[in-house]
Amino acid sequence: AQKVTQAQTEISVVEKEDVTLDCVYETRDTTYYLFWYKQPPSGELVFLIRRNSFDEQNEISGRYSWNFQKSTSSFNFTITASQVVDSAVYFCALKNPLPDKLIFGTGTRLQVFP
Amino acid sequence: GAVVSQHPSRVICKSGTSVKIECRSLDFQATTMFWYRQFPKQSLMLMATSNEGSKATYEQGVEKDKFLINHASLTLSTLTVTSAHPEDSSFYICSARDMKQGAGFGNQPQHFGDGTRLSIL
């Protein structure tokens, strides 16, 4: 079965705190792709990162970092020194070669308070 | 780059009306576009995959006669909600995949439009 689990429904932090959003996936394929998207209150989905299953190198982009652990089927997302503008719903998604579609997790709503 | 434009952003109409939503890739060509539906505080549910020049592939449980999809060019896909009823009220969002990005099938990220909030009275 192909499945993405984001166990954290809502997270609230105060500005400047670090926060980690968890993502656990299930797939039978050895080749797959993982994505993170941000959905601010305005509604659009913003692409943040993609990761291939054969590339376990972690990535850092400014205040954002991603920790891909194949051994635990996790692809966690950390925001360092959070800001109010980070408040949004964050979706983790899985893509296998077939079928040709993204499988989204249920999302984590992050609220960053000033 | 990789901008997807969705229009209109909001529609309010009476029950029985048909509503057309457009999804355009502005700076890239997209042979494949996707249509999603999202209920409040829920995840995105894929409705159908739209392939340029061929019939759309609908997900199980999605009525193809209710949700008409046309993908006539490499930059435009349309979703028409026919004879809309209050239960069709939702947030509809499209995405397009830039086939030139990334290496290997399926690696390309989907770029999303801003969504259309449909309210049927």
Side-chain angles (χ1 to χ4, degrees), chain B residues 16-20 63-68 79-85 88:
Chain B
T17 307
S18 291
V19 178
K20 179 186 281 189
E63 299 175 59
K64 57 183 67 176
D65 294 332
K66 174 77 171 175
F67 300 99
L68 300 178
L79 167 68
T80 301
V81 183
T82 62
S83 187
H85 292 284
D88 299 322

Side-chain angles (χ1 to χ4, degrees), chain A residues 31-94:
Chain A
T31 299
Y32 51 89
Y33 312 97
L34 297 163
F35 301 82
W36 274 95
Y37 285 88
K38 173 183 180 181
Q39 187 177 39
S42 49
E44 77 276 17
L45 263 80
V46 179
F47 165 70
L48 296 179
I49 190 173
R50 71 170 173 237
R51 176 60 70 221
N52 305 326
S53 57
F54 43 86
D55 181 4
E56 287 194 69
Q57 188 173 3
N58 291 326
E59 184 157 334
I60 297 175
S61 176
R63 297 184 297 107
Y64 294 171
S65 62
W66 291 269
N67 183 8
F68 179 29
Q69 296 281 341
K70 277 180 90 169
S71 60
T72 55
S73 298
S74 64
F75 186 41
N76 296 337
F77 172 31
T78 297
I79 301 174
T80 303
S82 59
Q83 300 176 0
V84 174
V85 292
D86 296 328
S87 297
V89 179
Y90 291 86
F91 290 98
C92 179
L94 166 70

Side-chain angles (χ1 to χ4, degrees), chain A residues 10 33 35 37 39 41-47 50-52 54 89 91 95-102 104-107 109, chain B residues 32 34 36 38 41-44 46 49 51 59 91 93 97 101-115 117:
Chain A
E10 288 195 32
Y33 312 97
F35 301 82
Y37 285 88
Q39 187 177 39
S42 49
E44 77 276 17
L45 263 80
V46 179
F47 165 70
R50 71 170 173 237
R51 176 60 70 221
N52 305 326
F54 43 86
V89 179
F91 290 98
K95 167 94 177 55
N96 293 97
L98 289 173
D100 183 18
K101 59 182 180 181
L102 282 174
F104 283 90
T106 49
R109 182 176 301 275
Chain B
T32 305
F34 303 85
Y36 295 85
Q38 186 180 30
K41 297 192 176 182
Q42 293 190 24
S43 189
L44 283 77
L46 179 65
T49 302
N51 294 298
E59 293 298 300
F91 187 65
I93 189 164
R97 193 165 57 205
Q101 281 189 327
F105 178 79
N107 190 28
Q108 305 87 351
Q110 291 181 23
H111 300 284
F112 287 80
D114 289 348
R117 198 162 301 280

